[in-house]
Amino acid sequence: MNIKQVGYFVAVFETKSFTAAAQQRNVTVQAISKSISELEQFFNVQFFERGSSGVRPTQAGRSFYAKARPAVEAYREVENFDPSGCDLTVSSASGPQAMPELSIGLCAPAFDNEDKLYKGLSALIMRGVRVRVKFCTVHPGVAQQELEQGGLDALLTVGTYDNTNDDCEQLGTLPTGIFVAADHPLGKRPFVTVADLSSYPVGQSTAFDSFNNSIFWQYNSHDVLGETRVIDSPAQVGAFLTAERGYFLNAILPVPGQVASGFEIVPIVGEGALTVPVCLVSLKDEKSQAYHVVENYLIRMVGCANGSAAR
């Protein structure tokens, strides 16, 4: 047993689906299934009942989840340990107090080095406003549930998200580009135009492009895209990008670690190039002071990022 297997178990438990868990963790369904089977063999119990409508946890599965979720979170804390010794307390007249803490889920596909990016963002916010923010990647299938059950304080979305229970605060906008294999005909260009898009198939994610007004739908509404290919599993992504010379639409973040090895993000410029809103989604209920402080700080951060990318 290892922490990766436990993390896969938590993903299956929370998404109620091997496929959704694989999409969340950016691995194959086979990898998820193999890990769950190995865990079940290790403990000699069955954690999930498999059926045509998905998976349901057994009593053993529910009991294991109660232990597994805190273990995964604790491991992330250890993994993100800052050897420089960040002070997680703030001083007051009555002595040290725990730093306020928020959890924000990014509703986006997993990408290379996301943990490093999240750690950097958290450190930046702590230095700026003295609030500890824990970022994570959250699958759209469980995002609203996590918000309503208190697992997350907010969601960060690329594109607006409309739900009657939520507030959607636009933090700013980001430029857009295409995500392609490095050897794609467009992969070595410094930029592409909207006119280039119709020559190659564009990928539509069944998970992320049905969750909100995504980049795909914003470009699609302008009738500038060519053939659309529905991609409903991580296993299809590689062949689509390489063998089929396809691409995905993407927001451009001026930070390291966004692009996996062997792939490129190429900016879309010129007439018809769109910027997309980045939104902070939270429940309509009363929000903490720490939340409002972080919201205002993120508005400034996204504004600076947009300016940097534009230059």
Side-chain angles (χ1 to χ4, degrees), residues 180-188 241-242 245 260-264:
V180 294
D183 62 352
H184 190 284
L186 302 179
K188 296 303 180 184
L241 291 173
T242 55
R245 294 298 192 215
S261 176
F263 299 91
E264 300 288 344

Side-chain angles (χ1 to χ4, degrees), residues 9 60 78 121 194 232 265 299 302:
F9 166 86
V78 173
L121 286 173
V194 169
D232 57 12
I265 292 182
I299 289 173
V302 174

Side-chain angles (χ1 to χ4, degrees), residues 128-209:
V129 296
R130 303 298 290 166
V131 176
R132 184 180 185 185
V133 178
K134 295 196 299 184
F135 289 95
C136 65
T137 302
V138 60
H139 191 274
V142 298
Q144 186 64 34
Q145 178 183 345
E146 285 287 307
L147 200 60
E148 293 177 352
Q149 293 182 352
L152 293 170
D153 296 296
L155 306 174
L156 199 58
T157 66
V158 180
T160 54
Y161 175 57
D162 185 20
N163 187 292
T164 56
N165 295 327
D166 302 333
D167 290 323
C168 184
E169 178 68 30
Q170 183 172 323
L171 303 178
T173 60
L174 289 173
T176 53
I178 59 171
F179 182 83
V180 294
D183 62 352
H184 190 284
L186 302 179
K188 296 303 180 184
R189 293 193 186 184
F191 60 83
V192 296
T193 66
V194 169
D196 296 321
L197 301 182
S198 62
S199 301
Y200 300 93
V202 58
Q204 177 188 354
S205 167
T206 53
F208 295 95
D209 291 321

Side-chain angles (χ1 to χ4, degrees), residues 28-296:
T28 65
V29 175
Q30 289 78 9
I32 294 287
S33 179
K34 182 174 182 290
S35 290
I36 298 302
S37 295
E38 288 174 350
L39 277 177
E40 290 177 327
Q41 291 173 12
F42 182 85
F43 289 105
N44 195 28
V45 295
Q46 183 177 353
F47 284 142
F48 297 103
E49 295 176 352
R50 285 78 161 169
S52 57
S53 59
V55 297
R56 292 193 308 166
T58 62
Q59 180 58 49
R62 289 189 290 270
S63 297
F64 186 64
Y65 175 77
K67 302 289 186 182
R69 177 67 185 269
V72 170
E73 291 178 348
Y75 180 80
R76 286 174 180 166
E77 290 291 321
V78 173
E79 197 174 36
N80 293 331
F81 170 70
D82 186 353
S84 65
C86 289
D87 180 13
L88 299 183
T89 63
V90 292
S91 297
S92 71
S94 59
Q97 296 178 339
M99 180 179 288
E101 188 172 290
L102 295 175
S103 296
I104 298 178
L106 176 62
C107 293
F111 51 90
D112 257 19
N113 298 323
E114 60 182 27
D115 287 344
K116 185 179 294 184
L117 171 62
Y118 294 159
K119 180 180 177 181
L121 286 173
S122 298
L124 184 62
I125 292 172
M126 281 193 289
R127 287 195 297 268
V129 296
R130 303 298 290 166
V131 176
R132 184 180 185 185
V133 178
K134 295 196 299 184
F135 289 95
C136 65
T137 302
V138 60
H139 191 274
V142 298
Q144 186 64 34
Q145 178 183 345
E146 285 287 307
L147 200 60
E148 293 177 352
Q149 293 182 352
L152 293 170
D153 296 296
L155 306 174
L156 199 58
T157 66
V158 180
T160 54
Y161 175 57
D162 185 20
N163 187 292
T164 56
N165 295 327
D166 302 333
D167 290 323
C168 184
E169 178 68 30
Q170 183 172 323
L171 303 178
T173 60
L174 289 173
T176 53
I178 59 171
F179 182 83
V180 294
D183 62 352
H184 190 284
L186 302 179
K188 296 303 180 184
R189 293 193 186 184
F191 60 83
V192 296
T193 66
V194 169
D196 296 321
L197 301 182
S198 62
S199 301
Y200 300 93
V202 58
Q204 177 188 354
S205 167
T206 53
F208 295 95
D209 291 321
S210 60
F211 173 68
N212 68 342
N213 186 22
S214 68
I215 305 172
F216 170 85
W217 288 116
Q218 292 180 56
Y219 272 101
N220 190 63
S221 67
H222 288 74
D223 198 27
V224 296
L225 303 178
E227 178 187 1
T228 296
R229 198 70 55 82
V230 176
I231 306 298
D232 57 12
S233 76
Q236 294 177 303
V237 172
F240 172 70
L241 291 173
T242 55
E244 299 183 46
R245 294 298 192 215
Y247 69 91
F248 289 98
L249 291 158
N250 208 84
I252 296 180
L253 301 172
V255 294
Q258 190 184 10
V259 187
S261 176
F263 299 91
E264 300 288 344
I265 292 182
V266 185
I268 302 172
V269 303
E271 183 178 356
L274 301 179
T275 58
V276 293
V278 178
C279 298
L280 192 64
V281 178
S282 59
L283 295 177
K284 290 184 180 292
D285 300 336
E286 184 176 345
K287 301 169 181 63
S288 67
Q289 181 181 358
Y291 173 87
H292 288 296
V293 168
V294 170
E295 179 183 79
N296 290 332

